[in-house]
Amino acid sequence: MSTVTAPRREDVRQAQAAESDRTKSENRLGLRLVAPAVVFMLLVTAWPMLQALYLSLFRYRLTAPDDREFVGIANYTTVLTDRLFWLDTWNTVLIMVVTVAVELVIGFAFAMVMHRIVFARGVIRTSILIPYGIITVVSAFAWQFAFSLNNGFVNNWLPFVDENFNWFGDHWPAMFAIMVSEIWKTTPFMALLLLAGLSQVSEDMLEAAKVDGATWWQRLWKVILPNMRAAIMVAVLFRALDAYRIFDNIFVMTKGAQETESASFLTYRQVIEQVQLGLGSALSVLLFLSVLLIAWLIVKLFKVDLAQARGEG
């Protein structure tokens, strides 16, 4: 009869020490491998940001470089007290909130279809993802044509809209057209991110809930969505930051007319069209800070422990 003896305490300590040394060695190797990429990224991204921060402290027009004058925070005061800045910021936030909310609902429905479909799965998934493969400028031109007063087909397709209605003749219809273009183009990206989260929901949990008598609606709210919270946060975060930088659709469809400018479009006009590098740089810095604020708010709102979601907690 054999006997089972507990491992000696000294052997356990040696094993833990060896494992600890191996972990430290792997961590050091990981840091060495990513260090060149991190340094390169810092050089590429940090230098333009520092240059913009420096230029924002000057009254500097590119057509008169010799007249450059240090003005401190005067450019920021000018921007923050200007009605146009707040109007464009409101447009940007409105587009971000509406498009991300609609894309979240439609994207989740698409993700459910792509996850559950049992026939022609490749064809259906490809069909759903096609809009995301189209260049944004091309998509914007297509939707501008669709909403066009002279050649568009939207007025003919919608029975409650007059056939002579000009979608780009007023603020709200123009904003609606811009949002439709944005939603059509980027909903597949949201669906793709949600599909990744949906595939991680345990089928065993769903079967157990079904055996317990939970309805489809209860399984959705009590099992599926809570287990997808990390994926939903990532999808919302990526799309919110992307939507906040909206530029292409507005540039192509309205060129900022009817008060449809976004914060990025205002920055473009100041820097590229009016060559006001000082004011444009101040706008760029404020845009960067607002993006950081939005990212922080979304992470705080979802309260997701990413380490735990990765199984490291």
Side-chain angles (χ1 to χ4, degrees):
M1 181 177 175
S2 62
T3 59
V4 178
T5 58
R8 292 186 306 166
R9 185 174 298 176
E10 185 176 350
D11 294 340
V12 173
R13 286 178 180 173
Q14 289 177 351
Q16 290 177 343
E19 185 178 0
S20 178
D21 291 341
R22 187 175 61 199
T23 303
K24 290 178 181 177
S25 176
E26 289 176 351
N27 290 338
R28 284 196 293 270
L29 176 62
L31 290 175
R32 291 193 195 100
L33 291 175
V34 301
V38 172
V39 171
F40 181 75
M41 288 294 294
L42 286 176
L43 288 175
V44 172
T45 59
W47 170 249
M49 287 191 291
L50 293 175
Q51 182 72 6
L53 182 62
Y54 173 75
L55 289 176
S56 69
L57 303 176
F58 289 85
R59 180 179 293 113
Y60 183 24
R61 191 182 179 92
L62 198 58
T63 53
D66 295 335
D67 296 337
R68 188 168 71 173
E69 178 187 1
F70 180 79
V71 294
I73 62 170
N75 285 330
Y76 293 96
T77 306
T78 302
V79 170
L80 293 174
T81 54
D82 190 277
R83 173 186 171 276
L84 182 61
F85 170 74
W86 292 108
L87 176 64
D88 293 352
T89 303
W90 160 251
N91 287 341
T92 309
V93 172
L94 181 66
I95 291 173
M96 179 190 71
V97 171
V98 172
T99 58
V100 172
V102 175
E103 289 172 20
L104 185 61
V105 176
I106 301 176
F108 184 77
F110 282 164
M112 290 289 284
V113 170
M114 290 191 287
H115 185 63
R116 294 295 181 189
I117 197 72
V118 293
F119 64 93
R121 173 174 291 188
V123 174
I124 292 176
R125 286 187 173 185
T126 304
S127 302
I128 291 175
L129 297 177
I130 280 177
Y132 190 63
I134 297 175
I135 299 170
T136 306
V137 174
V138 177
S139 164
F141 273 115
W143 280 103
Q144 186 197 37
F145 175 79
F147 282 100
S148 170
L149 176 62
N150 299 321
N151 306 311
F153 55 82
V154 172
N155 288 356
N156 296 327
W157 283 15
L158 299 178
F160 51 87
V161 175
D162 187 82
E163 62 178 9
N164 295 319
F165 183 71
N166 183 7
W167 288 91
F168 301 110
D170 203 358
H171 173 72
W172 290 111
M175 289 285 285
F176 177 79
I178 291 169
M179 290 182 198
V180 168
S181 174
E182 181 78 1
I183 291 169
W184 181 83
K185 169 70 175 62
T186 52
T187 295
F189 177 66
M190 180 76 85
L192 206 58
L193 294 176
L194 294 176
L195 177 63
L198 201 57
S199 62
Q200 294 180 352
V201 177
S202 171
E203 290 293 333
D204 294 338
M205 284 194 296
L206 290 172
E207 288 298 325
K210 192 182 296 183
V211 170
D212 288 341
T215 63
W216 181 88
W217 192 252
Q218 289 172 326
R219 294 199 298 275
L220 174 65
W221 284 99
K222 301 293 184 183
V223 180
I224 297 176
L225 291 181
N227 284 283
M228 287 183 61
R229 198 165 60 171
I232 294 173
M233 187 204 72
V234 171
V236 170
L237 180 64
F238 280 17
R239 273 301 302 135
L241 299 184
D242 191 37
Y244 194 79
R245 297 181 293 108
I246 183 171
F247 174 82
D248 312 53
N249 283 317
I250 295 174
F251 183 81
V252 171
M253 299 179 77
T254 64
K255 290 185 170 53
Q258 309 302 342
E259 296 185 338
T260 56
E261 273 191 353
S262 65
S264 296
F265 197 91
L266 177 63
T267 307
Y268 160 80
R269 282 204 306 107
Q270 289 296 323
V271 176
I272 304 300
E273 293 184 355
Q274 301 181 14
V275 290
Q276 293 275 9
L277 295 189
L279 276 175
S281 298
L283 283 166
S284 301
V285 172
L286 291 174
L287 189 64
F288 174 72
L289 293 177
S290 56
V291 166
L292 287 182
L293 177 63
I294 291 170
W296 181 79
L297 288 175
I298 292 175
V299 171
K300 287 294 180 183
L301 177 67
F302 280 87
K303 298 178 182 177
V304 173
D305 186 348
L306 292 177
Q308 187 178 9
R310 292 195 301 267
E312 298 175 0

XYZ file of all heavy atoms in Angstrom, residues 97-130:
261
model
N -23.597 61.112 -29.842
C -24.555 60.406 -28.975
C -25.600 59.657 -29.813
O -25.868 58.467 -29.580
C -25.242 61.407 -28.015
C -26.386 60.729 -27.269
C -24.231 61.966 -27.029
N -26.175 60.344 -30.813
C -27.248 59.724 -31.606
C -26.712 58.555 -32.429
O -27.289 57.452 -32.429
C -27.904 60.780 -32.521
C -28.888 60.111 -33.480
C -28.619 61.827 -31.691
N -25.599 58.776 -33.130
C -25.087 57.711 -34.005
C -24.615 56.503 -33.200
O -24.895 55.362 -33.585
C -23.935 58.237 -34.878
O -22.896 58.750 -34.044
C -24.400 59.302 -35.824
N -23.935 56.730 -32.086
C -23.444 55.591 -31.290
C -24.622 54.822 -30.675
O -24.607 53.579 -30.652
C -22.463 56.071 -30.202
C -22.112 54.924 -29.245
C -21.192 56.612 -30.833
N -25.663 55.544 -30.210
C -26.816 54.861 -29.628
C -27.534 54.005 -30.682
O -27.870 52.838 -30.429
C -27.784 55.892 -29.033
N -27.760 54.569 -31.864
C -28.440 53.807 -32.925
C -27.568 52.639 -33.384
O -28.049 51.519 -33.589
C -28.780 54.742 -34.103
C -29.366 53.950 -35.264
C -29.763 55.813 -33.657
N -26.278 52.905 -33.552
C -25.375 51.839 -33.998
C -25.287 50.720 -32.972
O -25.144 49.547 -33.345
C -23.978 52.414 -34.253
C -23.902 53.295 -35.487
C -22.566 53.985 -35.593
O -21.605 53.514 -34.967
O -22.484 55.003 -36.295
N -25.382 51.054 -31.688
C -25.315 50.018 -30.649
C -26.504 49.064 -30.768
O -26.338 47.834 -30.673
C -25.285 50.675 -29.272
C -25.091 49.745 -28.078
C -23.761 49.009 -28.175
C -25.168 50.524 -26.779
N -27.692 49.614 -30.988
C -28.900 48.773 -31.099
C -28.860 47.945 -32.385
O -29.027 46.704 -32.361
C -30.161 49.655 -31.052
C -31.401 48.805 -31.276
C -30.250 50.396 -29.723
N -28.634 48.621 -33.528
C -28.623 47.895 -34.805
C -27.428 46.934 -34.862
O -27.548 45.807 -35.351
C -28.571 48.891 -35.982
C -29.776 49.827 -35.936
C -28.540 48.147 -37.308
C -29.760 50.893 -36.999
N -26.291 47.382 -34.352
C -25.087 46.530 -34.365
C -25.279 45.282 -33.535
O -24.810 44.197 -33.907
N -25.994 45.407 -32.395
C -26.253 44.220 -31.571
C -27.170 43.245 -32.307
O -26.967 42.026 -32.242
C -26.865 44.635 -30.240
C -27.065 43.502 -29.296
C -25.992 42.977 -28.586
C -28.310 42.928 -29.116
C -26.157 41.907 -27.721
C -28.489 41.866 -28.258
C -27.414 41.352 -27.550
N -28.172 43.788 -33.004
C -29.069 42.914 -33.786
C -28.277 42.196 -34.885
O -28.449 40.984 -35.102
C -30.201 43.746 -34.389
N -27.408 42.920 -35.574
C -26.567 42.291 -36.594
C -25.647 41.233 -35.987
O -25.429 40.164 -36.567
C -25.729 43.351 -37.315
C -26.494 44.128 -38.349
C -25.982 45.322 -38.841
C -27.706 43.679 -38.837
C -26.686 46.043 -39.803
C -28.414 44.389 -39.791
C -27.897 45.575 -40.278
N -25.096 41.538 -34.802
C -24.204 40.578 -34.147
C -24.962 39.304 -33.780
O -24.431 38.188 -33.925
C -23.585 41.219 -32.899
N -26.213 39.454 -33.310
C -27.025 38.275 -32.987
C -27.291 37.441 -34.243
O -27.223 36.206 -34.207
C -28.348 38.723 -32.360
C -28.220 39.320 -30.970
S -27.815 38.105 -29.702
C -29.388 37.304 -29.500
N -27.580 38.130 -35.352
C -27.825 37.409 -36.605
C -26.565 36.657 -37.031
O -26.620 35.470 -37.390
C -28.275 38.399 -37.700
C -28.295 37.711 -39.064
C -29.644 38.954 -37.371
N -25.421 37.346 -37.003
C -24.168 36.709 -37.443
C -23.762 35.566 -36.516
O -23.126 34.606 -36.936
C -23.043 37.753 -37.503
C -23.198 38.760 -38.631
S -21.726 39.787 -38.889
C -21.809 40.847 -37.460
N -24.165 35.657 -35.231
C -23.794 34.627 -34.260
C -24.690 33.399 -34.348
O -24.235 32.265 -34.180
C -23.867 35.217 -32.852
C -23.404 34.282 -31.774
N -22.113 33.803 -31.710
C -24.063 33.742 -30.717
C -21.989 33.012 -30.664
N -23.155 32.943 -30.051
N -25.975 33.622 -34.616
C -26.945 32.534 -34.572
C -27.249 31.914 -35.928
O -27.814 30.828 -35.984
C -28.256 33.049 -33.962
C -28.142 33.443 -32.499
C -27.834 32.241 -31.636
N -27.733 32.589 -30.227
C -27.308 31.772 -29.281
N -26.942 30.541 -29.605
N -27.223 32.166 -28.037
N -26.911 32.607 -36.995
C -27.291 32.110 -38.307
C -26.633 30.756 -38.574
O -25.466 30.535 -38.222
C -26.893 33.135 -39.406
C -27.635 32.862 -40.697
C -25.401 33.115 -39.649
C -29.082 33.215 -40.631
N -27.393 29.836 -39.149
C -26.864 28.484 -39.379
C -26.720 28.161 -40.862
O -26.124 27.159 -41.219
C -27.774 27.419 -38.708
C -27.720 27.555 -37.197
C -29.209 27.530 -39.201
N -27.277 28.991 -41.731
C -27.140 28.732 -43.165
C -26.579 29.983 -43.844
O -26.824 31.104 -43.411
C -28.492 28.370 -43.778
C -29.508 29.489 -43.712
C -29.658 30.378 -44.763
C -30.294 29.658 -42.579
C -30.579 31.406 -44.694
C -31.204 30.690 -42.496
C -31.349 31.559 -43.553
N -25.782 29.760 -44.885
C -25.172 30.853 -45.656
C -24.495 31.864 -44.728
O -24.597 33.076 -44.935
C -26.216 31.525 -46.531
N -23.820 31.349 -43.709
C -23.228 32.240 -42.705
C -22.192 33.188 -43.322
O -22.188 34.389 -43.032
C -22.573 31.402 -41.601
C -21.782 32.203 -40.599
C -21.277 31.364 -39.466
N -22.357 30.907 -38.595
C -22.157 30.283 -37.442
N -20.927 30.032 -37.035
N -23.173 29.891 -36.701
N -21.343 32.664 -44.203
C -20.311 33.507 -44.813
C -20.903 34.620 -45.660
O -20.456 35.772 -45.592
N -21.929 34.284 -46.431
C -22.550 35.292 -47.312
C -23.221 36.377 -46.490
O -23.075 37.580 -46.776
C -23.568 34.611 -48.245
C -24.319 35.655 -49.064
C -22.867 33.627 -49.156
N -23.954 35.966 -45.459
C -24.677 36.951 -44.640
C -23.710 37.836 -43.873
O -23.875 39.063 -43.816
C -25.640 36.222 -43.685
C -26.755 35.572 -44.496
C -26.223 37.180 -42.659
C -27.705 34.746 -43.682
N -22.662 37.254 -43.296
C -21.680 38.064 -42.565
C -20.991 39.049 -43.499
O -20.789 40.227 -43.165
C -20.649 37.160 -41.886
C -21.181 36.429 -40.672
C -20.079 35.691 -39.941
N -20.560 35.124 -38.693
C -19.797 34.513 -37.804
N -18.504 34.369 -38.035
N -20.305 34.043 -36.682
N -20.627 38.593 -44.693
C -19.977 39.489 -45.650
C -20.908 40.610 -46.078
O -20.494 41.780 -46.181
C -19.532 38.689 -46.890
O -18.682 37.618 -46.475
C -18.780 39.578 -47.864
N -22.181 40.283 -46.293
C -23.152 41.302 -46.707
C -23.299 42.381 -45.634
O -23.403 43.572 -45.949
C -24.507 40.654 -46.980
O -24.395 39.663 -47.971
N -23.316 41.954 -44.359
C -23.465 42.933 -43.273
C -22.235 43.826 -43.169
O -22.347 45.025 -42.885
C -23.726 42.190 -41.943
C -25.123 41.547 -41.969
C -23.616 43.130 -40.754
C -25.431 40.682 -40.756
N -21.061 43.275 -43.443
C -19.816 44.026 -43.234
C -19.411 44.866 -44.440
O -18.463 45.643 -44.345
C -18.686 43.051 -42.879
C -18.868 42.277 -41.568
C -17.726 41.289 -41.375
C -18.937 43.233 -40.382
N -20.082 44.729 -45.566
C -19.676 45.455 -46.788
C -19.602 46.974 -46.589
O -18.612 47.606 -46.987
C -20.624 45.108 -47.956
C -20.223 43.752 -48.549
C -20.565 46.169 -49.059
C -21.141 43.276 -49.662
